[in-house]
């Protein structure tokens, strides 16, 4: 199988920029665990794909992801990605593709350039479930059984009407994600690697110019939001509270999954912004549930499992 | 959220934004305020925060030293280097 990887997954001695000017010349000193495992299984590497900067989806723009384009252009059989914001899960079924997200922690993150450490996980964009299962088995320690539990296309789903917290999930996600993004991007200061702005007169000016010129607008928004939610005035009101609500969400949906086995949700719903549109994908990110986004019969489905 | 508020967080984030970007961020954050306000509608009294979805279990392994990356290899990605050290502009004006 030929595979590509988003550029936030490190490949030894390749420029692994994570889609960021900040890492425009960063040659990875070692390869990600998932890359080494794929190569070890005899798969053929077909190159890196420029991802959204650090995998951060724009809140408003709805451009087709480069990984989807690579699959549609038949440049590979699958792509390894970190679909934090649910962009690939939202878009994949509409293009006849499948996105499989393993449970949080089931696949090693070693060599993944971090964005949101408590939600980062490497998933697979592929053409069908069989390919996806094969890849997940190759990059994990054989925990892909959930992907074989796709229900029959004729299955009639029970409307459980217990999907609580759906209005709040996008905002809990963004508060927590932006806080972690602001922490994880603090390392990009123009000193140790990557981009450094020119003509700085002193150290502080170098930090300011490098970070201002090095990050794009959506990342700057996430970092500023992170600083806001972690600031003294907002920490308890927003960040701490969001972590508490994250527990309520996780407990509620774990109970639901115990009763139902899996949930058949929609990968894309109507909303004011991409966070709201991805609400159920973000549920999977927040709680670490494994999920599969695919066309199933006439519908686009996001199957969520307990893992 | 005003551009002036954004300026406060900007200094924490070590940015020096132009006024257009600052205004755009202020507008976006103002638009998210209603969503953030929804948090107030949930009673979280006594709830332990969920920091990570993983159960906290520590897996121990044998502590073995392995040489993976040399100092020269690491320094090769530095924007500026002098005699094996990171070189930066002066710190005192």
């Amino acid at each position: 199988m030929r595979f590509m990887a988003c550029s936030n997954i490190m490949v030894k001695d390749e420029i692994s920029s994570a889609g960021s000017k900040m890492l425009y010349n960063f040659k990875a000193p070692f390869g990600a665990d998932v890359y080494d495992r794929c190569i070890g299984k005899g798969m053929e590497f077909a190159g890196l794909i420029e991802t959204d900067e650090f995998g951060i989806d724009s809140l408003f723009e709805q451009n087709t992801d480069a990984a989807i384009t690579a699959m549609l252009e038949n440049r590979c059989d699958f792509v390894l990605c970190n679909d934090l914001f649910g962009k690939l899960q939202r878009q994949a079924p509409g293009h006849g593709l499948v996105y499989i997200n393993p449970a949080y922690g089931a696949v090693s993150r070693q060599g993944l350039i971090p964005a949101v450490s408590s939600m980062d996980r490497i998933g697979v964009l592929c053409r069908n479930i069989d390919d996806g299962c094969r890849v997940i088995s190759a990059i994990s320690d054989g925990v892909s059984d959930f992907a074989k539990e796709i229900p029959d296309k004729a299955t009639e789903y029970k409307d459980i009407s217990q999907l609580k917290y759906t209005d709040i999930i996008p905002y809990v996600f963004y508060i927590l994600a932006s806080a972690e993004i602001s922490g994880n991007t603090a390392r990009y200061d123009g000193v140790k690697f990557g981009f450094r702005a020119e003509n700085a007169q002193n150290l502080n000016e170098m930090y300011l110019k490098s970070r201002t010129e090095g990050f794009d607008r959506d990342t700057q928004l996430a970092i500023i939001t992170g600083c806001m939610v972690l600031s003294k005035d907002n920490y308890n009101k927003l960040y701490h509270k969001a972590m508490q609500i994250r527990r309520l969400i996780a407990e509620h949906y774990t109970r639901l999954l115990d009763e139902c086995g899996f949930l058949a949700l929609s990968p894309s719903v109507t909303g004011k912004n991409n966070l709201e549109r991805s609400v159920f994908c973000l549920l999977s990110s927040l709680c670490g549930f494994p999920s599969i986004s695919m066309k199933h019969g006439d519908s686009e489905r996001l199957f969520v499992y307990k893992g | 959220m005003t551009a002036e508020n954004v300026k406060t967080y900007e200094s924490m984030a070590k940015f020096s934004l132009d006024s257009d970007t600052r205004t755009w961020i202020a507008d976006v954050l103002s638009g998210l305020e209603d969503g953030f306000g929804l948090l107030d509608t949930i009673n979280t009294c006594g709830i332990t925060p969920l920091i990570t979805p993983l159960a906290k279990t520590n897996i121990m392994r044998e502590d073995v030293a392995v040489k993976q990356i040399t100092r020269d290899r690491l320094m090769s990605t530095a924007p500026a280097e002098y005699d094996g050290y990171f070189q930066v502009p002066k710190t005192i004006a």
Side-chain angles (χ1 to χ4, degrees):
Chain A
M1 291 175 92
R2 277 166 60 81
F3 74 102
M4 299 184 83
C6 288
S7 60
N8 50 2
I9 294 172
M10 297 205 301
V11 173
K12 191 175 180 187
D13 294 330
E14 295 276 335
I15 301 280
S16 303
S17 69
S20 179
K21 180 179 175 182
M22 200 45 114
L23 289 173
Y24 77 105
N25 61 354
F26 176 67
K27 275 194 180 172
F30 60 90
D33 182 77
V34 287
Y35 171 81
D36 290 343
R37 282 180 187 241
C38 287
I39 295 296
K41 296 276 180 187
M43 296 173 183
E44 184 190 344
F45 180 58
L48 288 166
I49 295 173
E50 280 303 284
T51 173
D52 289 334
E53 191 172 33
F54 301 106
I56 301 168
D57 187 16
S58 161
L59 291 192
F60 304 104
E61 287 169 24
Q62 298 197 62
N63 54 335
T64 303
D65 195 276
I68 301 260
T69 308
M71 289 293 285
L72 296 178
E73 290 173 354
N74 213 15
R75 285 155 57 196
C76 57
D77 299 313
F78 69 92
V79 185
L80 298 170
C81 321
N82 176 22
D83 188 34
L84 263 178
F85 281 67
K87 182 181 182 184
L88 287 167
Q89 292 163 83
R90 234 174 35 233
Q91 295 182 353
H95 294 283
L97 299 171
V98 175
Y99 189 87
I100 302 184
N101 237 342
Y104 177 79
V107 170
S108 169
R109 287 177 288 141
Q110 193 226 18
L112 170 69
I113 295 172
V116 182
S117 303
S118 81
M119 302 182 213
D120 283 339
R121 53 190 163 157
I122 297 172
V124 182
L125 179 68
C126 51
R127 293 202 168 79
N128 55 61
I129 285 290
D130 288 343
D131 280 0
C133 286
R134 211 172 305 143
V135 177
I136 293 284
S137 296
I139 62 174
S140 66
D141 289 322
V143 286
S144 67
D145 284 354
F146 76 93
K148 293 172 185 153
E149 295 168 19
I150 302 296
D152 188 84
K153 284 180 184 161
T155 302
E156 284 189 18
Y157 301 110
K158 189 175 153 196
D159 182 0
I160 48 175
S161 305
Q162 290 169 30
L163 298 177
K164 279 173 75 176
Y165 305 113
T166 50
D167 53 345
I168 207 169
I169 284 171
Y171 298 97
V172 168
F173 169 85
Y174 198 62
I175 288 168
L176 298 178
S178 61
E180 292 190 38
I181 287 166
S182 79
N184 271 321
T185 51
R187 76 193 71 195
Y188 304 113
D189 55 6
V191 175
K192 299 177 287 297
F193 43 74
F195 173 71
R196 176 187 289 190
E198 290 177 355
N199 303 323
Q201 298 304 308
N202 56 53
L203 189 64
N204 194 48
E205 197 178 307
M206 188 196 77
Y207 291 149
L208 293 173
K209 282 169 74 101
S210 300
R211 288 173 59 80
T212 305
E213 294 171 25
F215 292 121
D216 76 16
R217 220 163 62 149
D218 290 302
T219 305
Q220 288 176 341
L221 169 67
I223 294 171
I224 294 276
T225 309
C227 289
M228 180 187 82
V229 303
L230 292 170
S231 67
K232 188 181 162 200
D233 291 346
N234 293 307
Y235 183 90
N236 284 331
K237 199 169 67 179
L238 293 175
Y239 183 67
H240 188 82
K241 181 123 187 170
M243 286 196 294
Q244 290 176 307
I245 297 173
R246 185 184 192 183
R247 180 172 296 280
L248 293 174
I249 294 168
E251 287 179 352
H252 173 75
Y253 281 93
T254 300
R255 270 198 305 275
L256 217 51
L257 287 166
D258 281 338
E259 288 169 25
C260 306
F262 69 89
L263 297 172
L265 304 167
S266 175
S268 181
V269 297
T270 51
K272 288 198 296 263
N273 52 49
N274 286 341
L275 296 171
E276 293 188 2
R277 288 178 199 116
S278 297
V279 56
F280 296 120
C281 308
L282 302 185
L283 165 70
S284 158
S285 286
L286 272 177
C287 305
F289 296 139
S291 60
I292 301 169
S293 177
M294 62 187 292
K295 187 102 179 192
H296 192 245
D298 293 332
S299 309
E300 294 181 6
R301 291 284 185 202
L302 179 76
F303 295 106
V304 176
Y305 302 83
K306 193 177 165 191
Chain B
M1 179 62 66
T2 63
E4 205 53 38
N5 296 138
V6 172
K7 220 170 174 176
T8 311
Y9 303 122
E10 197 180 311
S11 67
M12 296 177 189
K14 291 281 182 204
F15 287 146
S16 175
L17 303 176
D18 58 59
S19 62
D20 280 355
T21 308
R22 199 176 289 138
T23 305
W24 176 77
I25 289 177
D27 290 347
V28 173
L29 286 177
S30 297
L32 295 177
E33 272 173 4
D34 285 349
F36 291 164
L38 292 171
L39 271 67
D40 294 334
T41 63
I42 310 279
N43 180 6
T44 54
C45 198
I47 303 293
T48 309
L50 181 64
I51 296 162
T52 166
L54 269 189
K56 285 181 197 158
T57 48
N58 200 2
I59 301 167
M60 306 299 283
R61 61 161 168 78
E62 191 86 9
D63 197 6
V64 183
V66 279
K67 198 162 191 174
Q68 284 185 311
I69 305 166
T70 62
R71 180 190 177 119
D72 285 347
R73 175 67 184 83
L74 275 181
M75 292 307 293
S76 71
T77 59
E81 179 247 1
Y82 179 77
D83 205 15
Y85 293 91
F86 296 114
Q87 191 175 32
V88 293
K90 62 186 174 186
T91 52
I92 300 169

